[in-house]
Structures are given as C-alpha cells and as structure tokens.
Amino acid sequence: MQSRSPASRTGRPRSAAADAAILAATRAALVELGWSKLTLGDVATRAGVAKTTLYRRWAGKNELVVDAVAELFDELELPDSGSLAADIEGVVLQFATILARPEAKSGLMAVVSEATRDDALRERIRASVVERQKRLVLAGRSRAQARGELPPEPDAEAAARTADLIFDMVAGAVVHRTLVSAEPADEEWVRSFTRVLLQGLT
Amino acid sequence: MQSRSPASRTGRPRSAAADAAILAATRAALVELGWSKLTLGDVATRAGVAKTTLYRRWAGKNELVVDAVAELFDELELPDSGSLAADIEGVVLQFATILARPEAKSGLMAVVSEATRDDALRERIRASVVERQKRLVLAGRSRAQARGELPPEPDAEAAARTADLIFDMVAGAVVHRTLVSAEPADEEWVRSFTRVLLQGLT
Amino acid sequence: MQSRSPASRTGRPRSAAADAAILAATRAALVELGWSKLTLGDVATRAGVAKTTLYRRWAGKNELVVDAVAELFDELELPDSGSLAADIEGVVLQFATILARPEAKSGLMAVVSEATRDDALRERIRASVVERQKRLVLAGRSRAQARGELPPEPDAEAAARTADLIFDMVAGAVVHRTLVSAEPADEEWVRSFTRVLLQGLT
Amino acid sequence: MQSRSPASRTGRPRSAAADAAILAATRAALVELGWSKLTLGDVATRAGVAKTTLYRRWAGKNELVVDAVAELFDELELPDSGSLAADIEGVVLQFATILARPEAKSGLMAVVSEATRDDALRERIRASVVERQKRLVLAGRSRAQARGELPPEPDAEAAARTADLIFDMVAGAVVHRTLVSAEPADEEWVRSFTRVLLQGLT
DNA sequence: AGATAACCGAGACGGTACGTCTCGTCTTGAT
DNA sequence: ATCAAGACGAGACGTACCGTCTCGGTTATCT
C-alpha cells in the first residue's frame, strides 16, 4: 500500500487503525459524493484523522482511491461449478455485483482515466485490481482444459495472449454494460454474454 | 450542443467561430494536460475567448469535453468489405484508432465516470457518442443477415437486446484493452478478437 | 498602497470599499489577537472578503499591517503653541497617544523587526510611517529657528544629520517607554523628557 | 532559564551541553533565517537534539529567543573613562555594537512586540535583558555624581524616575537609529547623541 | 546488583494557517 | 445581446510547523 524505509525502527510507529479508517472513509465519501467531489480534507475528517496523516501515507487522491476500491475485489473467488459455462457465469456475476456498488462505479473508471497519463498509477491499478481478476481467468481456463472443455494452448506465449484477450473481453463487457450503457449486468445478461463468449455469434 | 431562448433575435449574435475554437482548444488541452488538469480558464485563453463566453454556451467541464470528444467519432463509418468478419474488423480498428488518441483516452473514461452520478451527462454521452457507434452495429448486423451470415432475430425486443450485448462486448473489449491493459488494439489483436466474437472460445 | 499595470482599463475595477474594509479588519484583528495570532484568512473573513482579494492587493501580512497601522498616523499634526517646548510636548504626546493604542503596539514593532531582513518592507515603513513623523520635526525646528529658540544650522548636511538625530531620540524614547518599559508616556513623562531634550542632563 | 520540580533528585539528569547547543543553534538560526522563519524543529535539528528536549526546557519560541539573545548582553560593562561623557559614549557604543548583530536585530524587537500581549514574557525580557543594561545607567550616574558632574537627586523616587527616563532615552535612541532608521550607530553618531543628551538642543 | 525514574532520539499524531489555484459569477467599457 | 478583460466570494489544494504523544533505549540515583 505504502512503504517506508525498511530499517526505520525508531520513532512512534504508524497507527494501523488509521489505514483502515481512512480507506473506509474514502469508500463512504465515494458513495456520497462521487469521485470528483471527494476531497482529501473531507476523507480525513470522516476518518477522524489529520490531513497530514493521510498525505504521509498516500501520494494523492488517485492512489488513495485505488487502494480503497481494490479492497472491494478481495472477495472475488472462482467457484467450482462443474462446467466452464457455469464457472464463467459465476465469476462474471461476482464481478458485476462488485462493479454495481456506487463506490466502485464512481471510483474505478476515474482512476483508470487518470492512469492514462500516469504510469505509476496504472501499475498500481494493475497490481492491486487487475491481477486479482486475471488470476481467476487463468485458473478457470486451466480447469476447463483439464475437463477437456477447452483445447490446450500450443505454447506459453499464445496462452498469455489468449488469456489477456479473454480478460479484456470479459471485464470490458461488464464495465461497458454497467457504466456506459448503465444497465444492470444481471443473471440474464450474464447468461447471454457467456453463450456468445463460448459459442460465438454465428 | 447548447440552446438559447428561441425568440432572441436582437443584440449581437454569437460568434460561430468561437464554438469551433473552443472545442479545438479543449482537445488540445486534453492532449497536453489530461482531463484532471484541464481548466476552463485555460481553455478560454487558448481559444482566445473570455471565460464568460464559454460558460454562456456550456454548463461545465463535463459537457464541454463530451462535445469536444464526440467530434472525434464523426469520422466512423461502416466499410462494406463483403464479409461480416471483415466488416467487424474494419469498424473495430477504426474505433480503436480513435480511442488511441490521447484526447480520447484522457477524456472519455473521465466523463463516463462523472456520468455515473449525472443522468443528464450520461444521456448527452449516449446521444453524441454511443449512438453514433451503435448505428454501425445495427447496420452491420442487418447487412450480415441479408448475406445470410447471421440468423434473423425472432422478434424486435430480442434484436435490441442482442445488439446491446454485441455493442457492449465490442466497445468494452476495445476500451479495456486500450485503457486498462494499456496495450494497443492493433490489427493482430482485432483479428483475434473478431474470431472469438464470431466463433466463440470452444 | 498597491499598484497595478497603469494601462489596465478593461475588466471589472477593484472595489474601493474592499480596501477600507480590509484595513479596518486588520486593525480590529490586531487589537483582539495581536500580531502573531493574526491570520490573513481571519482578516478576510472579518472584512467580508475572499482571501484571494486580499492577496491580490497585498503581498503578505507585513505589508498589510504596515498600511493598516500607517493610517493611524494620519492624524498627527504640529500644534502652534508659541514655544518650542510646548510644540515638542504637544507632538510627543500625540505620538505617544497613538502608540498607546493596542493595534499600534502589537503591529508596529513586529513589522520593524521583520524589516530588518526585508529592504522593501523597511522602505514601505519609512515612506508611510516614518516620513509622516519626520515632517513634524523639520517643521517644528524651522519654526523654532524663526523664533530664535534654536540656532540656525551651518549647512544642509548638518541640518539633515541633526534632524535625524532628534527624530531618533524622540521617537525612540517614546517607543522604548511604551513598549519595552511598558509604562505610559503621559503628560508628566513628556514634560520631563522635553526638559532633558532641550536642556540636557547637566 | 527553566525550572524543574525542586525535589527531583533521581532519574537521568538533563544534559547541560544540550542547553548551550540549543541557544547557540537558536542564534545561528536567527542570523540565517530571522525571527519569523525560525522554527523550533529546525533549531532542534541544528542542535542535534529532539524537539521534545527543547519543549521540556522552554515554553516556546519567545522564551527561547529571549534567552538566546540575552546572552549577547552578558559582555556589557561600564568602562571607567574619567568623564561622564566618555563613560556614556563607551557604554552606548557597546550597546550599539551588540544591537548591530543580526541575531539581536532580528530577535529583540520581535520578542518585545510579542511581549505587548504577554506579561510573563515582558517580565522575562526585563529581567534578563533590560536590568542588565539599567545597572550600567545607575552605576554611571552615581559615579558622575561622585565626580560632581551631575547634581544629586532630591529623593529616591525622583532618582528612580530620572534613571528610567535616561534609560528610555539612551536605549530608545540606539534602537530606533539601528532598527527603524537602519543607519549605523557609529562613533560619530554616538558623540552627537551624547552631546545632546548632556547639554540639550539649545 | 537491581530497581526506579527522568531523561534522550526519533518520528507519527491531530491541528491550524499558509499561499495558490480553479470555480462559476459579476461588473466594466466597447462592439 | 454579446464580447474580452479581469475582479469577486468560495473553497480545496498540498505543505509547513505547531505542540503532544508514543516508542525503544540510556543514564543517573536510591535501595
């Protein structure tokens, strides 16, 4: 999340409770105010913490929101439903449920937008949000290949490329449905999506 | 874009050149500064216009950026390549090319993020950006159905639902690839994507 | 007080009322809080003015306080009492009365202290506070010389040197009495002081 | 300087070296930064001491600076030059020399200004700075009276009043010359000043 | 020799003010 | 009625210090 010189053993240690309070306050502020009206001073007040404490730990609004939103994705896990289609439906539905929460809606695309001009921020997003999700794609695929539902990949590079493609298609579709089209990615939609993903349009 | 009282006939008329200058200045500022550091005062200065003039025509930063970015999508058109796959590849590649431009990258997701809390803004985006794209999906599908590459839809409602799904999948994948994964949606990627979209993973 | 580009004729003119309100608020804050606890934000609030307005006109706390305190010395004038001793007593008493006011006590020495490291500030103090007082010394002396109570000066340079000396002795004694010794420079003290100044200790 | 509970005999004693280091660091900081930009954190760092140590010994910036500056006046002593005029010139020149040092210039008037609203601080200044100087006035006067250069005082109260007056005139003139007029109180000026003080203007 | 107690450095803490920036509005004279 | 210019009230920004606190550790004196 944030780091200090590893050898700093002296001085008063940082309050562990403050971190949790700040991230919770950030999510609450995202829900109430949305990204653009969220101010760090307000977050600090909500968390019962001084602004300086907040700036001591995070470089700015972007980094703070990434960490606050990333925690939402901790609960994602791959169900073992017995079939590839059911596995995908389960994961996509979990992802859609998280993305439907107002703190995710408000915050996620905003930081992605900011990240187009900030490599460190993009890397932070990749590490704490994207990787968490991509793991599930990889695990689901290898399970499906074990079951014989998907053909094995010819080589490692092709495997990585395909995984990236699948991931962009799955995450992209859910995000677009939720944020741009502003329609719920509910069970029915997830079923339709999964059918097209597995069998194609034709 | 913006409206005035319909009966205003007296007084100095609005400068038509100002609109174009402002939108161009907005795009230039997006390229240089990105969404979050773009300020309306700066845009006004770049456009050689007073801030008042700008506020007389747009309600705020969001609306202005939507209009500025929307113009980028004017050039989208459906090629007639003879096959569904080639049509899709052509359109997706056009879309990816536009989205790769820094003014689009910076601005588009930012206003989408803002739109999660502002219905009027979402409607403005839908009307001036999304509809322009969705038209192509509809046109491409009916052409493919005429060719016999896709089955006809059983009823109008199912047709609309499927069009929305396809659109979310196409636009979402390109956006996610470009902004989140931060990899280029180049010809090779577009071919892979189109194959999965039409034939499925299995 | 503060200047702008002389040729700026366009744009909204600065509010004249704001200047007066700000200076009055500064004096009020000096009385209530003293120099070190006076904050520009508080002055702005008292004056019913935005902080930006204040900073647009003054470079900082020092300059503001000099101007606010300088106005107190506007009322100084040389009485014509018929004798040098009475003239001096009158002027010194006026000066002492002004210096006894809390806004002068708090502010004046503070800005003088700051001016030891800021030439522009010292010049500002000299122009708006010191010169106002020195005028009286010069006028009083020439009047006394006309009366024959003081000998004429041999040359202009000596005249200037003596005037400076007298001024430092008069102002210095009153300031030291008031601020360092923290005793009132009342009529009795002023009479004793004038006697020593005119006739010496011996 | 600072006190502790008198019965504290156990525990680690305070470092004597720390006091000296802190006062020296304070003077160095006054020279480099001036009163208003001097910070206690910086003084602590310069002295190689923790901020806590500093606050354990002084109540704040004001008290610390008074002590730091007071040490400068330790070297003041009354020369025995044989005549009142020469005695005065000697003492005034010593005083002027000390006051010309940047740490005195910056610090002294600042704490005097603060003392207008803080009785304890004024008393501290009186005890550690003013009394040191007034002693010399008293000693010089009694020596001059012994020589017959000055008339004896009629009573003790008048003696005290006159001593205060002389002190305010001497110290005030030097301070005003040095800080407000910002001219050096050099030998020539001191001679002119002494002449007026002893013989008056007429 | 231990226990006790005040000291020490380091540095995080809740606050407050700073001076700057941008917002969206208002007020000029001119077109 | 619109325009360019620029002042205005409002309020967030990120930084700097304040004076306090909490650590682990260090001297001293007092058993």
Side-chain angles (χ1 to χ4, degrees):
Chain A
M1 180 175 303
Q2 56 274 343
S3 59
R4 299 171 53 194
S5 135
S8 84
R9 203 166 307 277
T10 71
R12 176 172 174 176
R14 288 193 178 165
S15 158
D19 266 23
I22 291 169
L23 291 174
T26 304
R27 282 187 292 268
L30 274 176
V31 172
E32 276 182 42
L33 307 168
W35 158 266
S36 60
K37 294 192 177 163
L38 178 152
T39 72
L40 295 200
D42 176 58
V43 168
T45 303
R46 285 168 190 262
V49 143
K51 240 193 330 172
T52 27
T53 298
L54 210 153
Y55 278 105
R56 209 174 282 123
R57 303 178 186 209
W58 284 275
K61 188 166 154 172
N62 291 331
E63 288 75 10
L64 174 60
V65 170
V66 170
D67 285 0
V69 171
E71 287 191 344
L72 296 176
F73 291 91
D74 282 346
E75 60 195 54
L76 269 182
E77 52 184 52
L78 183 66
D80 193 346
S81 336
S83 82
L84 175 57
D87 281 6
I88 292 179
E89 285 177 11
V91 167
V92 170
L93 207 52
Q94 279 183 58
F95 182 57
T97 304
I98 292 172
L99 211 64
R101 294 169 69 168
E103 59 269 44
K105 273 213 274 242
S106 278
L108 201 55
M109 280 304 101
V111 294
V112 164
S113 162
E114 293 291 300
T116 57
R117 311 187 57 84
D118 179 344
D119 289 341
L121 183 61
R122 183 165 47 238
E123 172 56 23
R124 195 186 194 98
I125 295 173
R126 204 195 52 70
S128 52
V129 179
V130 173
E131 276 312 311
R132 262 189 184 77
Q133 302 165 18
K134 199 175 279 186
R135 250 188 320 107
L136 303 189
V137 170
L138 296 171
R141 179 173 65 177
S142 56
R143 194 188 288 169
Q145 288 171 332
R147 284 198 204 104
E149 290 172 305
L150 285 178
E153 301 291 332
D155 59 84
E157 202 201 325
R161 256 206 321 276
T162 311
D164 285 351
L165 173 61
I166 296 172
F167 178 61
D168 284 332
M169 288 184 71
V170 171
V174 175
V175 167
H176 203 272
R177 168 81 177 175
T178 306
L179 299 184
V180 182
S181 301
E183 302 284 345
D186 52 18
E187 280 195 51
E188 186 191 342
W189 182 89
V190 170
R191 263 196 302 274
S192 304
F193 167 74
T194 306
R195 194 178 53 244
V196 172
L197 180 67
L198 290 179
Q199 296 161 19
L201 286 173
T202 51
Chain B
M1 180 177 303
Q2 58 275 353
S3 59
R4 299 169 60 189
S5 132
S8 71
R9 205 169 308 271
T10 77
R12 176 170 172 177
R14 287 192 180 164
S15 155
D19 267 20
I22 291 170
L23 292 174
T26 303
R27 280 187 294 268
L30 275 176
V31 172
E32 276 183 42
L33 307 169
W35 158 266
S36 61
K37 294 190 176 163
L38 176 151
T39 71
L40 295 200
D42 178 57
V43 168
T45 304
R46 284 168 191 261
V49 143
K51 256 198 309 177
T52 359
T53 300
L54 209 153
Y55 277 105
R56 211 174 282 123
R57 302 177 187 210
W58 283 276
K61 186 165 155 173
N62 291 330
E63 288 74 11
L64 174 61
V65 170
V66 170
D67 285 0
V69 171
E71 288 191 345
L72 296 176
F73 291 92
D74 281 348
E75 59 194 55
L76 269 182
E77 51 184 52
L78 182 67
D80 192 347
S81 338
S83 82
L84 176 57
D87 281 4
I88 292 178
E89 286 176 11
V91 167
V92 170
L93 207 53
Q94 280 182 54
F95 183 56
T97 305
I98 293 172
L99 210 64
R101 293 168 69 168
E103 59 269 44
K105 272 214 273 244
S106 278
L108 201 55
M109 281 303 101
V111 293
V112 165
S113 162
E114 294 291 302
T116 58
R117 310 187 58 82
D118 180 343
D119 290 340
L121 182 61
R122 183 164 48 238
E123 172 55 23
R124 195 188 193 97
I125 296 173
R126 205 195 52 71
S128 53
V129 180
V130 172
E131 276 313 312
R132 263 191 182 76
Q133 302 165 17
K134 199 175 279 185
R135 250 190 319 109
L136 303 189
V137 171
L138 296 172
R141 179 172 64 176
S142 55
R143 194 188 290 168
Q145 289 172 331
R147 283 198 205 103
E149 290 174 302
L150 285 178
E153 300 292 332
D155 60 86
E157 202 200 327
R161 257 207 319 276
T162 311
D164 285 351
L165 173 61
I166 296 171
F167 178 61
D168 283 332
M169 288 183 72
V170 172
V174 175
V175 166
H176 203 272
R177 168 82 176 177
T178 306
L179 299 184
V180 182
S181 301
E183 302 282 346
D186 52 17
E187 280 194 50
E188 186 190 343
W189 183 88
V190 170
R191 264 196 300 275
S192 304
F193 168 74
T194 305
R195 194 176 54 244
V196 172
L197 181 67
L198 290 179
Q199 296 161 21
L201 287 173
T202 51
Chain C
M1 177 175 304
Q2 56 274 344
S3 59
R4 298 172 54 193
S5 137
S8 82
R9 202 167 307 278
T10 71
R12 177 174 174 174
R14 287 192 180 165
S15 157
D19 266 24
I22 291 169
L23 292 174
T26 303
R27 282 188 293 268
L30 275 176
V31 172
E32 277 183 40
L33 307 169
W35 157 266
S36 60
K37 293 189 179 166
L38 177 151
T39 70
L40 296 200
D42 177 56
V43 168
T45 304
R46 284 168 191 262
V49 143
K51 242 190 331 169
T52 25
T53 298
L54 210 153
Y55 278 104
R56 208 175 283 124
R57 302 178 185 209
W58 283 277
K61 187 165 154 173
N62 292 331
E63 288 75 9
L64 175 60
V65 169
V66 170
D67 286 358
V69 171
E71 287 191 343
L72 296 176
F73 292 92
D74 282 346
E75 60 195 54
L76 269 182
E77 52 183 52
L78 184 65
D80 192 348
S81 336
S83 83
L84 177 56
D87 281 5
I88 294 179
E89 286 177 12
V91 166
V92 170
L93 207 52
Q94 280 183 57
F95 183 55
T97 304
I98 292 170
L99 211 62
R101 293 168 69 168
E103 58 269 44
K105 273 214 273 244
S106 278
L108 201 55
M109 280 304 101
V111 292
V112 165
S113 163
E114 293 291 301
T116 59
R117 310 187 56 84
D118 180 345
D119 291 339
L121 183 60
R122 183 164 47 239
E123 172 54 24
R124 193 187 195 100
I125 295 173
R126 204 194 53 68
S128 52
V129 179
V130 172
E131 277 312 313
R132 260 190 185 77
Q133 303 166 17
K134 200 175 280 185
R135 251 188 321 106
L136 303 189
V137 170
L138 296 171
R141 180 172 63 177
S142 55
R143 194 188 290 168
Q145 287 171 334
R147 284 198 203 101
E149 291 173 304
L150 286 178
E153 302 291 333
D155 58 84
E157 203 198 325
R161 258 209 317 277
T162 312
D164 285 350
L165 174 60
I166 296 171
F167 179 61
D168 283 332
M169 288 184 71
V170 172
V174 175
V175 165
H176 203 270
R177 169 81 176 175
T178 305
L179 299 184
V180 181
S181 301
E183 301 284 344
D186 53 18
E187 281 194 50
E188 187 190 340
W189 183 89
V190 170
R191 264 196 302 274
S192 305
F193 168 74
T194 305
R195 195 176 54 244
V196 172
L197 181 65
L198 289 179
Q199 296 161 19
L201 286 174
T202 53
Chain D
M1 178 176 302
Q2 57 275 346
S3 60
R4 299 171 56 191
S5 135
S8 70
R9 204 168 308 274
T10 77
R12 175 174 176 174
R14 288 191 179 162
S15 157
D19 267 20
I22 291 169
L23 291 174
T26 303
R27 282 187 293 269
L30 275 176
V31 173
E32 276 183 42
L33 308 170
W35 157 266
S36 62
K37 293 189 179 166
L38 177 150
T39 70
L40 295 200
D42 177 58
V43 168
T45 304
R46 283 168 190 262
V49 142
K51 252 197 315 177
T52 2
T53 299
L54 209 152
Y55 277 105
R56 212 175 280 124
R57 302 177 187 209
W58 284 276
K61 186 166 156 174
N62 291 331
E63 290 75 11
L64 175 60
V65 170
V66 170
D67 286 0
V69 171
E71 287 192 342
L72 297 176
F73 291 92
D74 282 346
E75 61 194 54
L76 267 183
E77 52 184 52
L78 182 65
D80 192 347
S81 339
S83 82
L84 176 57
D87 281 4
I88 292 178
E89 286 177 10
V91 167
V92 170
L93 208 52
Q94 280 182 57
F95 183 56
T97 305
I98 292 170
L99 211 63
R101 294 170 67 169
E103 58 270 44
K105 274 214 273 242
S106 277
L108 203 54
M109 280 304 101
V111 292
V112 165
S113 163
E114 293 290 301
T116 57
R117 310 185 57 84
D118 180 344
D119 290 339
L121 183 60
R122 182 164 49 236
E123 172 55 23
R124 193 186 194 103
I125 296 172
R126 206 195 51 70
S128 51
V129 179
V130 172
E131 275 315 310
R132 261 189 184 77
Q133 302 165 18
K134 199 175 281 184
R135 250 189 320 106
L136 303 189
V137 171
L138 296 172
R141 179 172 64 176
S142 56
R143 193 188 289 167
Q145 287 170 335
R147 286 198 202 102
E149 291 175 303
L150 285 179
E153 301 293 331
D155 59 82
E157 203 201 325
R161 258 210 316 278
T162 311
D164 285 350
L165 174 60
I166 297 171
F167 178 62
D168 284 332
M169 288 184 71
V170 173
V174 175
V175 166
H176 203 271
R177 169 81 175 173
T178 307
L179 299 183
V180 182
S181 300
E183 302 282 345
D186 53 18
E187 280 193 52
E188 186 189 341
W189 183 87
V190 169
R191 264 198 301 275
S192 305
F193 168 73
T194 305
R195 194 175 56 245
V196 172
L197 181 66
L198 290 179
Q199 297 161 20
L201 287 174
T202 53

